[in-house]
């Protein structure tokens, strides 16, 4: 497979929707800055998920091992409660003050909360106060992440040319997946490098401590960016023309939520829950489960822009429909293969699930912004994205761990994937396809 170089892949862009020109160098900065911010946010947010078993032992010391894992995933899920609130707040900031301002605030908040998690005492040191503080910091992380994905994707989408918008926004997902991969690799290195006692005593703090220097790097990359030309033009026009109301976009909000449920349930199950599923269900070591999932994640990261480029030619609707259908058809066979005990079949199953996920992630960050008009694009995407993720996707690891414990059925996870994909398929069929066209409310040159 040929490696895609983002520096060479980004074309000279004229934003046909806004009469504004984004030169190739400026667009490269926008894409790289969005990728960097997404990488940092999702490394910091996801590393807790990869450390779930360890965090359960540190902050829920007196519980049984299965309950520790459920409690740890519950603390992972609780961050998603704050995401809709963060989405609403940062949506207003992004639509009223600017996309760039919202993005910088989210990065700072996430870094501060993550760094503070690394400073927390264990439950054995200060009792119940430790998990309470952990939950509070996870809520701040969730509040922050409520604005990052929407802001980054909209920022890139509004700078991009209509005919390349899917490909351009797909790089934001590459940044997100890179963060997941770095989190998984960091966790694997910790397990390989330290004894369990050292890991539980102090080494678990190291990935959280990376938050501070990473945030400084992210802010440095972002500080020279110019505001979205569509946002600037909309603000100027709003002085003389009344803005449409978000309440008129109920259909777009519902469709956006469905698309997000269909794409993010597999995202959080395959990338966050799968390592723990392999440990708890197949009795693999933590190190082996992480290594088994990391290689398919690299495959996922490499194929996202390929599918993004293909979607700009064929249509986002086709690529996403194939992805949802594939997830519905192949989830159960993939989980049968995972339980086969054959390494080759297990690896093929993980590759297949990641390829189907790639088809969804390559398009979704261009698909959703196109549903909303510029004056409430940030708010509409942030609210629908975060409510859907909070209710259905972010809670998926916790519910799957609980359901498997209650029912003893390891195939619950496959059924969960199938249900999410069915919702996504209905949504993508109901959505107007704007591949190669201006986004809703944007005018051609």
């Amino acid at each position: 497979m040929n490696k895609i170089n983002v520096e060479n892949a980004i074309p000279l862009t004229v934003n046909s929707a806004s009469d504004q020109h984004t030169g190739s160098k400026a667009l490269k900065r926008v894409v790289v800055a969005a990728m960097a911010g997404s990488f940092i946010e999702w490394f910091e947010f996801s590393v807790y998920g990869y450390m779930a078993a360890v965090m359960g032992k540190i902050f829920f010391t007196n519980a049984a091992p299965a309950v520790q894992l459920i409690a740890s995933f519950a603390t992972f899920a609780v961050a998603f409660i704050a995401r809709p609130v963060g989405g609403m707040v940062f949506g207003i900031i992004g639509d009223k003050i600017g996309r760039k301002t919202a993005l910088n605030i989210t990065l700072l908040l996430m870094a501060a909360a993550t760094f503070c998690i690394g400073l927390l005492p264990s439950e054995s040191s200060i009792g119940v106060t430790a998990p309470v503080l952990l939950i509070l910091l996870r809520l701040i992380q969730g509040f922050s992440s409520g604005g990052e994905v929407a802001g980054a994707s909209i920022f890139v989408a509004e700078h991009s040319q209509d005919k390349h918008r899917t490909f351009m926004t797909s790089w934001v997902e590459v940044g997100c997946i890179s963060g997941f991969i770095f989190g998984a690799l960091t966790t694997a290195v910790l397990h390989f490098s330290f004894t369990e006692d050292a890991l539980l005593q102090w080494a678990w703090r190291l990935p959280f401590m990376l938050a501070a220097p990473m945030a400084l790097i992210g802010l440095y990359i972002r500080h020279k960016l110019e505001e979205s030309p569509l946002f600037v033009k909309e603000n100027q026009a709003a002085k003389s023309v009344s803005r449409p109301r978000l309440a008129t976009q109920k259909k777009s909000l519902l469709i956006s939520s469905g698309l997000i449920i269909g794409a993010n349930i597999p995202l959080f199950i395959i990338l966050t829950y799968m390592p723990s599923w392999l440990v708890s269900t197949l009795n693999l070591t933590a190190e082996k489960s992480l290594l088994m999932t990391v290689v398919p994640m690299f495959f996922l990261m490499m194929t996202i822009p390929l599918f993004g480029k293909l979607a700009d030619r064929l249509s986002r609707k086709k690529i996403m429909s194939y992805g949802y259908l594939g997830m519905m058809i192949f989830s159960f066979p993939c989980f049968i293969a995972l339980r086969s005990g054959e390494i080759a079949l297990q690896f093929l199953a993980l590759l297949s699930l990641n390829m189907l996920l790639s088809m969804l992630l390559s398009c979704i960050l261009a698909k959703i912004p196109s549903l909303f008009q510029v004056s409430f694009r940030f708010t509409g995407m942030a609210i629908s994205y975060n409510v859907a993720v909070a209710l259905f996707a972010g809670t998926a690891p916790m519910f799957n761990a609980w359901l498997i414990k209650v029912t003893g059925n390891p195939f619950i996870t496959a059924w969960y994937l199938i249900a999410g994909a069915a919702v996504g398929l209905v949504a993508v069929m109901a959505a107007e396809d704007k591949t190669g066209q201006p986004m809703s409310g944007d005018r051609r040159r």
Side-chain angles (χ1 to χ4, degrees):
M1 184 181 297
N2 293 329
K3 185 177 179 180
I4 297 177
N5 188 326
V6 69
E7 294 291 323
N8 298 326
I10 298 173
L12 180 66
T13 301
V14 178
N15 194 314
S16 61
S18 62
D19 290 342
Q20 301 294 325
H21 296 260
T22 304
S24 59
K25 289 185 178 180
L27 183 56
K28 288 173 187 176
R29 286 198 299 269
V30 168
V31 174
V32 170
M35 288 177 65
S38 296
F39 171 88
I40 293 167
E41 285 264 348
W42 286 100
F43 164 74
E44 294 173 355
F45 193 80
S46 68
V47 73
Y48 180 92
Y50 291 120
M51 298 283 288
V54 174
M55 301 299 280
K57 294 176 182 178
I58 294 167
F59 291 97
F60 304 98
T61 308
N62 298 320
V67 177
Q68 285 180 346
L69 184 62
I70 293 170
S72 186
F73 274 129
T75 308
F76 178 81
V78 79
F80 291 86
I81 296 172
R83 284 188 65 151
V85 180
M88 186 174 297
V89 171
F90 289 114
I92 294 171
I93 293 172
D95 283 333
K96 300 291 186 181
I97 301 175
R99 285 42 167 142
K100 180 180 174 180
T101 300
L103 285 171
N104 286 338
I105 296 173
T106 63
L107 186 59
L108 283 172
L109 278 178
M110 176 63 80
T114 306
F115 184 78
C116 287
I117 288 176
L119 300 177
L120 287 178
S122 65
E123 185 186 33
S124 60
S125 299
I126 61 172
V128 72
T129 305
V132 170
L133 290 174
L134 177 64
I135 290 170
L136 288 174
L137 291 172
R138 287 290 297 164
L139 287 171
I140 295 173
Q141 281 189 316
F143 180 83
S144 164
S145 64
E148 174 63 30
V149 172
S153 57
I154 289 169
F155 202 63
V156 174
E158 290 182 345
H159 279 85
S160 299
Q161 192 176 14
D162 295 333
K163 64 181 180 180
H164 296 298
R165 184 167 290 118
T166 315
F167 179 59
M168 293 296 100
T169 55
S170 71
W171 288 101
V172 179
E173 286 287 10
V174 172
C176 295
I177 303 305
S178 300
F180 273 108
I181 291 174
F182 189 54
L185 288 174
T186 302
T187 305
V189 168
L190 288 177
H191 282 287
F192 277 116
S193 303
F194 298 98
T195 64
E196 185 175 0
D197 286 342
L199 193 61
L200 293 174
Q201 288 175 11
W202 63 272
W204 68 270
R205 303 178 186 276
L206 296 178
F208 298 99
M209 294 293 188
L210 286 174
M214 291 175 73
L216 292 175
I217 293 170
L219 289 173
Y220 175 78
I221 293 173
R222 284 181 170 180
H223 87 282
K224 289 186 178 180
L225 295 181
E226 295 181 1
E227 187 53 82
S228 158
L230 281 171
F231 170 80
V232 172
K233 187 174 183 180
E234 172 65 20
N235 263 12
Q236 293 171 347
K239 295 177 183 178
S240 57
V241 180
S242 60
R243 296 185 180 194
R245 298 175 60 187
L246 183 60
T248 64
Q249 299 294 296
K250 292 179 181 178
K251 181 180 178 181
S252 295
L253 287 167
L254 286 173
I255 290 174
S256 176
S257 298
L259 292 170
I260 292 156
I261 289 169
N264 279 269
I265 281 179
L267 172 69
F268 282 97
I269 285 180
I270 295 169
L271 300 191
T272 302
Y273 178 61
M274 189 59 71
S276 296
W277 185 90
L278 293 171
V279 171
S280 61
T281 305
L282 303 185
N283 297 316
L284 299 183
T285 63
E287 297 90 337
K288 187 174 181 180
S289 70
L290 284 168
L291 288 176
M292 281 186 65
T293 53
V294 164
V295 174
M297 284 168 65
F298 273 106
F299 175 75
L300 168 66
M301 182 179 68
M302 294 299 297
T303 54
I304 285 174
L306 294 177
F307 280 119
K309 200 170 188 67
L310 184 62
D312 277 328
R313 295 181 179 180
L314 299 182
S315 82
R316 297 167 201 149
K317 189 169 189 174
K318 285 184 179 179
I319 298 298
M320 293 190 78
S321 296
Y322 296 153
Y324 287 131
L325 281 170
M327 197 69 71
M328 293 172 67
I329 294 169
F330 293 109
S331 287
F332 210 84
C334 283
F335 274 81
I336 292 174
L338 285 171
R339 286 180 55 81
S340 69
E342 298 289 333
I343 294 178
L345 283 177
Q346 291 173 330
F347 190 69
L348 180 61
L350 291 171
L351 281 178
S352 299
L353 290 172
N354 277 273
M355 186 186 73
L356 294 169
L357 177 59
S358 177
M359 297 173 75
L360 305 176
L361 298 183
S362 64
C363 301
I364 195 164
L365 296 187
K367 186 77 173 177
I368 296 175
S370 72
L371 299 172
F372 300 101
Q373 296 187 20
V374 64
S375 59
F376 44 67
R377 184 168 289 148
F378 203 133
T379 304
M381 181 174 178
I383 291 175
S384 58
Y385 189 98
N386 290 294
V387 169
V389 168
L391 293 178
F392 300 100
T395 55
M398 177 190 68
F399 279 129
N400 275 268
W402 177 75
L403 286 170
I404 290 174
K405 181 178 184 297
V406 170
T407 65
N409 183 358
F411 293 107
I412 286 290
T413 305
W415 292 115
Y416 211 94
L417 287 173
I418 292 169
V423 173
L425 183 61
V426 171
V428 80
M429 297 306 293
E432 181 183 0
D433 186 61
K434 288 185 170 291
T435 306
Q437 303 173 24
M439 296 181 287
S440 293
D442 298 347
R443 298 178 180 178
R444 291 187 180 276
R445 241 171 24 97

